Amino acid sequence: MLEDKSQELTPISKLGEFGLIKHLTENFPIVQSSTKLSIGDDAAVIDAENQKVVVSTDMLAEGIHFNLGYVPLKHLGYKAVVVNLSDIAAMNATPTQILVSVAVSNRFPVEALEEIYSGIALACNRYKVDLVGGDTTSSNAGLVISVTAIGLADDAKLVKRSGAKPNDLLVVTGDLGGAYLGLQILEREHSVYLANPNMQPEMEGYDYILERQLKPEARTDIKKKLEELDVIPTSMIDISDGLASEVLHLSDQSKVGFNIYEEKIPMDETSISTADELNLNPAMAALNGGEDYELLFTVSPSDFDKIKNHPDFTIIGHATEAAQGNFLIARGSNQLIPLTAQGWDAFLNKD
Ligand SMILES: [Mg+2]
């Protein structure tokens, strides 16, 4: 990671807390007009004008959410921001500001934090959000990154998890399962490396799913695409924990059931071939894998024509009366399999 750099590493204590924050945040320009006051005062000031303020926070802990054995620090910084922006996008809002807090043990030098903040800066630039605050502190063990994201939206355009009605169409953006399968490859190659550090990792041909895992993107582009189609979803959520779990959240909050069709679940070819290689059912990776950060939403059946041939959207099912429950309709049969957030492995493993 950093050990092979020839330069001397700088202990965090050399800069002190205030010097450190100043050093890490000096290359973050302000691009949002709603940011009225940023880092340097006691608090930031945001002018929402006539819009609603949407706020979400998410924490990533070393050993729980990431493994520094194979996750580069720059990617970690980028991903920590993206997963929060995804939650703002899931409200049909536009992310505008973030606050970042980092706790590190003294095994991390200043240069490690610089790497993390370079990833954060990349995400801020890509998504046009301002870093307006945060904190750094020491921890006894490990690295923890907490990001709070702020977004703005017109009240009439905000989309909650709770608005789906029976017969609404269930739609997903992009493709699913890739991030989980990318993680399986990273873990496989990492254990090969731990067993024999001279072995070269075999990463060729897995680029797409490795990127889905290490450098996911938030679908902040979808809000504009839906506006162009003149579609306001009736409910929406982002896919952080796997399709099955998110469908159940929409079901719970909207008081409807869902039927989803296994054969409709969009998957990339690399995801399908990697699932085959690992002897997993591809649908299992989509249903239970998580971390795809695509959006899952419902639309009125009257919006079918607007959605059906759009390259970003796939209709994977529909809402039913709540009493009917939540089911996966298996590929090539009409078998109804109750949708649960867990327990898929036993059914969906190929053997
Ligand atoms: Mg979410």
Side-chain angles (χ1 to χ4, degrees), residues 56 58 83 86-88 90 161 237-241 246 293:
S56 180
D58 208 8
V83 302
S86 178
D87 280 321
I88 302 296
R161 295 179 178 181
I237 190 168
D238 69 319
I239 301 182
S240 52
D241 295 332
E246 315 303 357
Y293 299 105

